[in-house]
Amino acid sequence: MSEADNKKPEAQNASPHFGSIADLSQALQSRKVSASELLAHVIARVEALDQRINSIVVRDFDRARDAAKAADAALGRGERRPLLGIPVTLKEPFNMAGLPSTWGFPAFKNFVPAEDALVVTRLKEAGAVIIGKTNIPIGLRDFQSYNDIYGITRNPWDLSRSPGGSSGGSAAALAAGFGPLSIGSDIGGSVRVPAHFCGVYGHKPSLGLVPLRGYSLPPAPPVPGSGDLAVAGPMARHAADLALALDVIAGPDEAREGIGYRLALPEPRHDDIRNFRVLVIDTHPLMPTGEAVRTAIARLAQRLTSLGVKVGQSNSSVPNLANSARLYMRLLNAARSPRMAADAFAEAERQAAALPADDRSLQAERTRGTAMNHRDWLATDAARLQLQQQWSQFFREWDVVIYPAAAVPAFPHDHSEPLGARHLEIDGKAYPYEDACFIWADPASTCGLPATAVPIDRSPSGLPIGVQIIGPYLEDRTTIAFARLLEREFGGFVPPPL
């Protein structure tokens, strides 16, 4: 970053549009501003700017005003809750009573759930003022955020470019100053890529840490349980806000595991950045990383080294990333296959049966995953268990891994169909779109590891560049702590020039 961009977070926390949750809460508690006034600021900004960006596509301003009034009354009584009076947005698929949950499918345009998702309930209990829901790609299957119901969401840094997907609306809303917190979800980088594209923070929690009741394809009932790979997690403009929000939404479902279990995450491994052991990975055996991203990661590694941090850039104990990526592609499409129409699934079965046994391309692995029977899935899961054990061993020697969130900064909108025929340009050469985008979600998604997305730099054209900080299973506080230390040392979020 330039000296102008390398700002300490305190310089931005005073802003009503870009302040941290802690600073906004302090202002609310000291009565420097009321929850109703803070909400009015946010709504005015949304109404002034979101017509161009189109991030908050389901607005709930009237109920938000009522919630803000209730928050003011609670603050007046001296109540203290983590999000009391704080404006928050949600990704569209989270059920919220009285608002549509469509997942971008026109067939579900009129589906309105009768009850809140458990995550929404926890946010409200913490005092959040929920102002609306953010845009997504249809079926959450793209690295852009557009659909026939809500239209196209644009990146606040460059309206001609994607804000990422599938939590692109959430990232764009945060970057634009539409509240300090949004809740996204991630199965294939859907929190990490939008955070990288829009220059904000995001946390993909360890698998199973945040319950998913009320996050299911319509019209499925909101029963306890969780699917494979998918997680829900917070997105924010300040790393500390990720920790605060995760404490609010994490923990077992009271109707299921919560009957017998309570959450007790380990504390961060270190509170001094100089004590971290950091392995930097900026390349992949199956997909190149663009020069802008590699340069930003190299600069970060140099800055960490200059602080005295132990930084490694190659290590024989890293699990085989090529094999891991192939495994992930099978698991990813197996997890997504229940959403497919019967005719599309039958076609996938035909394609999988016709694949040569020696075809180990990522597209072939996705096709195999879509049509995988339970016996083959169990064998794939067994291979994942071995991979998880390898990572567990790795994290005895290292604390965190710095890893690309994506190969390139935000790319131009491309809504051409079919999606599988698209290509993504990396340093002037075209690569299969799904390969080039999904590959970076592994290994954190495959092995259920926590990963915190952190803005670190800008591209030569001024676009944000981020990385993901991957850590040991259920050591979410370690990856977020490292993100906080990076923000403290080098600065973090910078508002786009809206």
Side-chain angles (χ1 to χ4, degrees):
M1 293 184 179
S2 68
E3 288 301 316
D5 293 336
N6 185 16
K7 301 175 182 177
K8 298 294 183 184
E10 292 80 6
Q12 296 156 21
N13 286 357
S15 164
H17 305 306
F18 299 111
S20 70
I21 293 174
D23 283 312
L24 293 175
S25 293
Q26 185 178 24
L28 289 166
Q29 292 166 16
S30 64
R31 314 306 282 164
K32 292 180 180 178
V33 65
S34 71
S36 295
E37 290 168 338
L38 178 59
L39 175 65
H41 277 296
V42 173
I43 290 176
R45 188 169 177 86
V46 172
E47 291 177 336
L49 298 176
D50 204 33
Q51 184 175 358
R52 292 184 295 151
I53 299 167
N54 192 40
S55 62
I56 303 177
V57 292
V58 180
R59 299 181 181 182
D60 200 24
F61 292 168
D62 287 341
R63 291 196 297 184
R65 292 184 179 99
D66 292 339
K69 291 177 184 176
D72 282 326
L75 287 162
R77 295 190 296 269
E79 289 188 24
R80 297 294 181 262
R81 284 180 269 162
L83 297 174
L84 188 57
I86 299 298
V88 174
T89 57
L90 301 164
K91 190 174 180 177
E92 200 266 4
F94 288 99
N95 285 355
M96 190 168 173
L99 298 182
S101 291
T102 71
W103 290 57
F105 288 106
F108 302 130
K109 184 176 182 179
N110 297 317
F111 176 76
V112 178
E115 60 186 88
D116 291 342
L118 181 53
V119 163
V120 175
T121 299
R122 291 179 176 180
L123 289 169
K124 288 181 176 180
E125 289 174 348
V129 176
I130 300 176
I131 65 174
K133 299 170 72 172
T134 59
N135 205 18
I136 54 171
I138 187 168
L140 316 184
R141 295 176 68 95
D142 201 349
F143 292 85
Q144 303 170 75
S145 294
Y146 68 96
N147 56 74
D148 289 341
I149 301 173
Y150 302 122
I152 302 167
T153 297
R154 298 172 176 83
N155 192 316
W157 284 92
D158 181 341
L159 299 181
S160 71
R161 294 177 182 268
S162 168
S166 60
S167 307
S170 290
L174 288 166
F178 304 158
L181 175 66
S182 192
I183 306 300
S185 64
D186 190 311
I187 190 172
S190 292
V191 161
R192 292 162 282 171
V193 172
H196 158 67
F197 280 7
C198 293
V200 300
Y201 291 81
H203 184 68
K204 174 214 144 338
S206 295
L207 184 66
L209 183 57
V210 177
L212 295 180
R213 174 157 45 105
Y215 177 87
S216 52
L217 189 67
V223 296
S226 60
D228 194 20
L229 301 176
V231 299
M235 305 176 71
R237 290 185 298 264
H238 301 280
D241 292 346
L242 298 177
L244 186 155
L246 188 65
D247 284 345
V248 168
I249 64 175
D253 188 331
E254 296 84 352
R256 187 70 175 178
E257 292 85 355
I259 295 171
Y261 298 116
R262 297 292 179 267
L263 183 62
L265 294 178
E267 291 301 312
R269 290 191 174 189
H270 310 290
D271 57 10
D272 185 333
I273 197 169
R274 293 157 186 82
N275 293 332
F276 274 85
R277 301 165 297 173
V278 181
L279 185 73
V280 176
I281 299 176
D282 65 354
T283 60
H284 196 282
L286 301 181
M287 187 61 56
T289 316
E291 182 180 1
V293 172
R294 291 196 316 275
T295 300
I297 292 176
R299 186 177 296 128
L300 175 60
Q302 291 168 359
R303 297 169 84 179
L304 289 171
T305 299
S306 70
L307 288 176
V309 178
K310 177 183 177 180
V311 177
Q313 296 186 291
S314 64
N315 191 275
S316 59
S317 64
V318 175
N320 187 301
L321 294 177
N323 290 341
S324 181
R326 295 185 179 102
L327 182 71
Y328 168 65
M329 296 299 173
R330 293 199 299 275
L331 289 166
L332 174 66
N333 271 29
R336 300 192 307 178
S337 64
R339 303 178 198 168
M340 296 179 68
D343 57 344
F345 182 75
E347 176 58 26
E349 287 184 308
R350 288 191 290 270
Q351 292 176 3
L355 285 171
D358 62 352
D359 185 350
R360 301 193 67 205
S361 67
L362 298 180
Q363 175 56 50
E365 299 293 8
R366 287 193 294 274
T367 302
R368 291 188 182 102
T370 300
M372 197 160 38
N373 60 34
H374 190 55
R375 180 177 183 272
D376 290 341
W377 186 91
L378 288 172
T380 303
D381 187 46
R384 168 170 46 185
L385 293 173
Q386 294 295 322
L387 192 61
Q388 289 172 335
Q389 186 61 27
Q390 292 175 41
W391 280 110
S392 180
Q393 290 290 119
F394 169 87
F395 282 118
R396 294 180 182 180
E397 180 182 355
W398 300 92
D399 296 312
V400 295
V401 174
I402 291 176
Y403 196 66
V408 294
F411 52 75
H413 299 289
D414 177 4
H415 303 160
S416 58
E417 294 293 343
L419 185 146
R422 293 181 197 164
H423 287 82
L424 182 67
E425 186 175 293
I426 303 174
D427 291 344
K429 185 176 179 180
Y431 295 86
Y433 180 82
E434 291 178 288
D435 291 358
C437 293
F438 278 119
I439 199 168
W440 305 104
D442 172 67
S445 287
T446 308
C447 293
L449 306 177
T452 304
V454 180
I456 62 166
D457 215 325
R458 303 271 198 88
S459 73
S461 62
L463 294 171
I465 295 175
V467 293
Q468 52 180 317
I469 309 300
I470 302 174
Y473 178 60
L474 288 178
E475 295 196 42
D476 296 64
R477 288 180 176 169
T478 289
T479 64
I480 294 175
F482 189 73
R484 292 180 69 173
L485 293 168
L486 286 178
E487 182 180 16
R488 184 181 303 168
E489 292 292 338
F490 306 132
F493 171 77
V494 176
L498 290 170

